[in-house]
Amino acid sequence: MRLSSKIGRVLAAGASAMAFCAGGVAGAAEPDAPSPAQAGPGDTGVEVITVTARHRAEKLQEVPIAVTALTERDLAASGNSSIRQMQRQVPSLQILGFNPRNITIQIRGLGTTGGAANSGTEPGVGIYVDGVYHARPSVVVFDTFDVANVNVLRGPQGTLFGKNTVAGAIEITSQRASYEPELLGEVSYGNYDYGQIKLAASGPLGDSGFAVRVAGMKADRNGTVYNSVYRDDWQDHHNQAVRGELAYRNEDESFTARLNADYNDQNSYSAMPRRGVLPKLRADGSVATARGYYDRARDAGYVPPPIDAFARRIDVDTPFTINMQTGGASLTLVKKLLGDHSLTSITAWRFWDWNPSIDSDGTGAAINIQTNLPTAQRQWSQELRIASPGGGAVDYTAGLYYFWQRTREVPFNTYGRDAAKYLLGAAFPSEALNNFSQTGLQLFHTKSYSAFANATWHVDERFDLTGGIRYTYEKRSGRFESVAVGGVLLTDPVFSSLSPEQLTAIASRRNGFAPTARYDAATEGGRVSGTVNALYRLAPGINLYAGYSRGFKSAGINLVTPVQLANGPAPVTFDPEIVDSFEIGLKTDLFHNAVTFNLAAFRSDDKGYQANQGVIVQTGSGPIARYFITNAGKVRTQGVEMDVRARWNGLSLTGAATYNDAKYRSYTNAQCPYLWVTAANGGICDISGRQIAGVSKFVYTIAAEYAFAPRPILGTEATLFLGGDYNHRTGFYGSLNTDPFARVPGYGLASAYAGIRSADNRWELRLWGRNLFDKQYFVNASVDQVTTYSYNGTLGDPCFYGATLRMKL
């Protein structure tokens, strides 16, 4: 049930007050973008942030690695957002993807590469929620709620906890069950009929030592792209979730237990407006394709609409739905041992179900009417670690980790009534491909065994030396099956008038689309990774650090249709990816903690870069795209990161920036950009030296907030506040092969907010607006050089405005 009908009357007046968004487009979304931690009048000094990244409480400025810590106050100021939206606060984090299944997460340019679905690999950025590793990166698009803090650790991780990762980790910590009664509520309303409600309640269960917490969230937003066929708005958003915790502590708190469970459901209609049409000729006048976008549309009797992505109109003729659920349970036990050492056990089980319906051609013609890969993923993990209490000459952590994962996928891909004429030509009857389908089975299993240790030696009051090591052994196995179903037999009388050449073309297209194939594959192996770094306290409030770490992604399996390359079949398995990362940094507290300023220089060399390779297979009926993961060669990312926070008498300022020169040092077997494809190179090109896909060279964000002195308002002491921010990123490539037609231009977005909060922070009313100037921009782009001969893009959200009321009892 939509929330807007229930809460619209409450907040509509506040939402309309923010209708200053340029362009006046009706719409709504999550509240304001990133802003600094809330400051009260008279407050001087930046909030001291404490993190437990090394399983003991430490000041963020004392941790010798680059960490972005978003506190509860930061998260409240940034609004109701997903992890994907939090990248506006973390310039080194980039999250891309046309649908949640194929999400690409990168930190400092490394992580997961974009492309078609392939479950035979793992993310390069680890996501942990309450200490539990989430193997499916789609969690980043679910709405976050009841969150205490988020930490983004940059560089290879694995010597302190969980799974090994080559690029970094995102740690999310939920609010814990409290032993004091607590009730929180939040309601938001905005344009595009946006409504969201969040509730949380917590308290003790008598004097038993038990406490409970229950939290829930529901959000709905109408679409921002109009589908003229369905006469409905797509690119909408519907998310509901619930989370519960049962906590226990004994009388002296030497033993604690937390039993957590959660369930999340999300669905929407996706939309990728067409950006343009690929040219039929290359710059030198040679032919790139004999039949382009408009030729094919004419042959199929399809009249395409004018191409104007920013008109936010599409004519997709079959559903393009996103439907997924995720959830699970975990049990965390912590026992204090002799000398205040802590022994921690985390046992967890999780699931992820993906049930889409995807029209991959994105047109009003019935061509590829289904490109679906329903997936059921299950995982189980067990972590056991011991940690010293901190404060000794040597602080350490050591542990064991086991991870098990299984995925089951049943693909179903179908041609529609217009496929034959669109793909083969006007002379072919629709029965040639109509209702011809491919299905099968894809199974994948992972077993991972790890041991890790990390220790810090406090050499003296100024100098710390840290070292860590990890050994991981993984086994992976998979099965791929593909069969053809449906369609009219070629011996049917409907094809009697066709020539042998035409019948061969139909058979070739069918075989290319749905070949009969079956294989089993397996890979296993172990590897050592580790880290060493040092921190030197140059002066009070000024710390220098330097470090080196090695991370790796294990070998994997290609669970895709077998690909025949010019020099033989594409490999079924691929090798590990190894990353050597170097970092040197400065962390400071200046002017009696009024300003913190951090600076880091980094370089990562990636060998065996696991890329989702695309190739164009030429058949007698035209080209067909094939995708598989391969080791592309060498990659290097290097650059500088900066972040600053300042607070003085009610004024808070924050800023962060990343410059990243990320390039393919050696990538000789890439899929060619569209205009590079020739018969001579077979669609395989050398793109060494080009910018890595998905990486902006320069990203920065600045934000400010001012809180006025408290004064009596409506019979209580309250504070008026206002703030805003601006985020900018330079252009990047949306496709792995850096095709110019997949180039996403740079863009900048401005947001603002204003409101009133009680002096005791028990209630707050905030008016917010995002993308105030209604900037027209893309967040991703792709090129289709085998079906529609066009290029598409995912539009960023237009101007949004609304209001949020928060209360705490």
Side-chain angles (χ1 to χ4, degrees):
M1 181 175 62
R2 298 291 179 118
L3 294 174
S4 55
S5 61
K6 293 188 174 183
I7 64 179
R9 295 186 183 91
V10 179
L11 296 173
S16 62
M18 296 296 287
F20 52 79
C21 290
V25 181
E30 297 75 8
D32 42 64
S35 77
Q38 300 166 359
D43 289 346
T44 299
V46 175
E47 177 182 13
V48 177
I49 299 174
T50 300
V51 297
T52 56
R54 298 194 290 183
H55 306 300
R56 54 185 178 273
E58 299 176 284
K59 292 181 180 179
L60 176 64
Q61 299 299 92
E62 297 281 334
V63 178
I65 59 174
V67 181
T68 298
L70 303 177
T71 67
E72 181 182 4
R73 302 178 78 181
D74 292 321
L75 297 172
S78 66
N80 311 309
S81 59
S82 64
I83 301 172
R84 184 171 189 168
Q85 292 160 338
M86 289 179 192
Q87 65 183 312
R88 303 195 309 272
Q89 296 168 279
V90 188
S92 292
L93 175 65
Q94 176 78 314
I95 302 175
L96 302 171
F98 288 110
N99 65 56
R101 192 196 191 287
N102 296 340
I103 283 290
T104 297
I105 307 176
Q106 297 175 327
I107 293 179
R108 292 177 172 172
L110 298 179
T112 308
T113 64
N118 193 325
S119 295
T121 186
E122 64 182 22
V125 175
I127 299 175
Y128 296 84
V129 181
D130 295 327
V132 177
Y133 173 72
H134 287 224
R136 304 306 305 190
S138 56
V139 67
V140 301
V141 303
F142 284 98
D143 291 53
T144 56
F145 67 104
D146 205 37
V147 170
N149 58 71
V150 176
N151 295 329
V152 180
L153 289 71
R154 304 194 279 281
Q157 305 296 321
T159 65
L160 284 161
F161 56 87
K163 200 82 167 58
N164 54 300
T165 57
V166 296
I170 301 172
E171 290 184 296
I172 304 167
T173 302
S174 302
Q175 297 284 4
R176 302 192 64 168
S178 62
Y179 286 85
E180 295 292 334
E182 186 178 40
L183 180 63
L184 302 96
E186 179 180 304
V187 62
S188 299
Y189 179 77
N191 57 349
Y192 282 92
D193 210 16
Y194 170 72
Q196 184 184 71
I197 186 169
K198 297 181 178 181
L199 295 171
S202 186
L205 298 177
D207 298 325
S208 63
F210 286 93
V212 67
R213 186 179 190 89
V214 178
M217 180 277 305
K218 181 172 173 58
D220 293 291
R221 190 203 69 186
N222 284 347
T224 60
V225 177
Y226 181 72
N227 187 315
S228 60
V229 174
Y230 283 81
R231 298 183 181 180
D232 194 13
D233 294 319
W234 286 15
Q235 205 72 6
D236 55 344
H237 178 78
H238 308 286
N239 199 171
Q240 40 274 325
V242 64
R243 173 184 169 269
E245 177 185 332
L246 178 65
Y248 172 79
R249 66 185 184 188
N250 62 2
E251 191 170 335
D252 62 359
E253 297 188 31
S254 61
F255 174 74
T256 61
R258 298 176 65 194
L259 177 63
N260 288 296
D262 67 278
Y263 176 79
N264 304 264
D265 175 82
Q266 186 178 107
N267 59 83
S268 65
Y269 283 84
S270 188
M272 293 182 291
R274 208 162 308 283
R275 298 174 65 200
V277 173
L278 296 175
K280 294 174 63 175
L281 299 178
R282 301 185 181 89
D284 61 3
S286 59
V287 175
T289 179
R291 297 174 65 237
Y293 174 74
Y294 291 109
D295 299 319
R296 293 166 181 264
R298 182 188 62 249
D299 290 343
Y302 165 57
V303 181
I307 294 179
D308 179 5
F310 295 129
R312 293 184 175 271
R313 294 179 66 91
I314 59 174
D315 66 340
V316 178
D317 64 325
T318 53
F320 197 132
T321 59
I322 303 301
N323 185 346
M324 63 178 176
Q325 297 80 38
T326 188
S330 65
L331 177 63
T332 302
L333 307 175
V334 180
K335 174 65 177 176
K336 295 294 184 182
L337 304 177
L338 183 66
D340 276 342
H341 286 68
S342 62
L343 180 65
T344 301
S345 169
I346 304 176
T347 307
W349 173 85
R350 296 203 60 79
F351 76 92
W352 177 72
D353 289 332
W354 167 253
N355 297 288
S357 177
I358 297 176
D359 182 329
S360 63
D361 61 79
T363 71
I367 309 167
N368 294 103
I369 60 174
Q370 292 186 93
T371 308
N372 304 337
L373 190 60
T375 304
Q377 181 261 358
R378 304 293 183 264
Q379 67 173 71
W380 185 82
S381 60
Q382 175 63 57
E383 181 170 352
L384 186 67
R385 66 171 181 263
I386 187 170
S388 63
V394 177
D395 298 323
Y396 67 87
T397 297
L400 302 172
Y401 183 75
Y402 173 75
F403 175 77
W404 173 91
Q405 178 185 211
R406 182 194 69 197
T407 61
R408 177 185 175 89
E409 301 166 325
V410 182
F412 198 81
N413 307 309
T414 305
Y415 278 140
R417 65 182 180 278
D418 298 323
K421 295 184 182 297
Y422 195 97
L423 297 171
L424 303 178
F428 289 83
S430 62
E431 292 83 357
L433 296 178
N434 187 32
N435 201 37
F436 186 77
S437 303
Q438 178 263 343
T439 188
L441 179 66
Q442 297 169 195
L443 301 176
F444 180 68
H445 291 83
T446 297
K447 290 183 179 180
S448 178
Y449 311 83
S450 305
F452 56 87
N454 187 284
T456 299
W457 176 27
H458 304 287
V459 180
D460 56 35
E461 292 183 352
R462 286 193 168 188
F463 184 58
D464 292 347
L465 185 64
T466 299
I469 190 169
R470 179 189 186 96
Y471 178 76
T472 302
Y473 190 87
E474 293 196 342
K475 297 181 179 181
R476 296 184 175 185
S477 61
R479 169 174 294 181
F480 177 86
E481 297 178 5
S482 174
V483 295
V485 295
V488 179
L489 295 176
L490 293 183
T491 55
D492 191 278
V494 72
F495 301 124
S496 60
S497 62
L498 298 185
S499 68
E501 291 77 15
Q502 289 174 314
L503 292 174
T504 298
I506 296 172
S508 175
R509 172 61 61 168
R510 288 183 173 188
N511 185 61
F513 180 71
T516 299
R518 185 188 187 282
Y519 62 84
D520 294 277
T523 180
E524 62 180 282
R527 193 170 292 270
V528 174
S529 56
T531 185
V532 59
N533 56 53
L535 181 140
Y536 184 74
R537 299 170 181 84
L538 186 64
I542 302 178
N543 298 330
L544 294 173
Y545 72 91
Y548 160 79
S549 56
R550 166 168 281 197
F552 81 99
K553 289 169 63 177
S554 296
I557 301 172
N558 275 305
L559 296 177
V560 296
T561 302
V563 182
Q564 183 66 36
L565 304 176
N567 58 349
V572 173
T573 61
F574 47 91
D575 295 332
E577 177 179 341
I578 311 297
V579 174
D580 291 305
S581 181
F582 305 86
E583 182 176 331
I584 183 169
L586 170 71
K587 293 188 174 185
T588 68
D589 289 325
L590 305 174
F591 310 114
H592 303 288
N593 202 40
V595 177
T596 64
F597 176 80
N598 297 337
L599 191 68
F602 64 89
R603 191 180 88 177
S604 295
D605 288 314
D606 188 319
K607 182 180 180 181
Y609 185 68
Q610 293 176 359
N612 208 327
Q613 173 76 44
V615 296
I616 307 301
V617 179
Q618 297 295 334
T619 70
S621 62
I624 291 179
R626 288 279 185 260
Y627 296 93
F628 61 97
I629 295 178
T630 186
N631 297 97
K634 298 180 181 179
V635 159
R636 172 174 290 173
T637 70
Q638 56 187 353
V640 179
E641 300 168 331
M642 179 274 294
D643 68 81
V644 60
R645 290 185 177 221
R647 190 162 83 176
W648 183 266
N649 287 337
L651 176 64
S652 295
L653 300 171
T654 63
T658 296
Y659 173 82
N660 189 358
D661 183 22
K663 293 181 178 179
Y664 299 112
R665 294 185 65 200
S666 175
Y667 193 177
T668 60
N669 60 333
Q671 176 186 353
C672 292
Y674 170 67
L675 291 180
W676 294 14
V677 178
T678 65
N681 61 31
I684 299 298
C685 291
D686 184 350
I687 61 170
S688 303
R690 295 174 68 85
Q691 183 179 346
I692 294 176
V695 183
S696 296
K697 182 164 285 191
F698 184 54
V699 184
Y700 68 88
T701 183
I702 54 175
E705 180 184 293
Y706 185 77
F708 295 87
R711 63 192 67 190
I713 300 176
L714 300 176
T716 185
E717 286 286 304
T719 298
L720 296 173
F721 62 91
L722 57 88
D725 66 84
Y726 182 78
N727 175 272
H728 184 271
R729 68 173 59 247
T730 56
F732 58 91
Y733 291 101
S735 66
L736 188 67
N737 65 348
T738 67
D739 194 312
F741 291 109
R743 180 76 176 177
V744 177
Y747 57 89
L749 303 175
S751 301
Y753 59 91
I756 180 174
R757 69 172 70 97
S758 65
D760 59 6
N761 285 320
R762 287 192 171 274
W763 60 266
E764 175 185 290
L765 177 63
R766 177 185 298 246
L767 308 180
W768 44 263
R770 194 177 73 174
N771 189 9
L772 296 181
F773 304 109
D774 202 27
K775 173 70 176 179
Q776 305 283 4
Y777 66 104
F778 294 97
V779 295
N780 206 351
S782 67
V783 177
D784 178 1
Q785 55 177 292
V786 298
T787 300
T788 63
Y789 287 84
S790 62
Y791 49 104
N792 309 322
T794 301
L795 288 167
D797 288 338
C799 173
F800 286 103
Y801 54 88
T804 297
L805 175 65
R806 299 187 180 100
M807 300 193 71
K808 179 179 180 180
L809 302 177

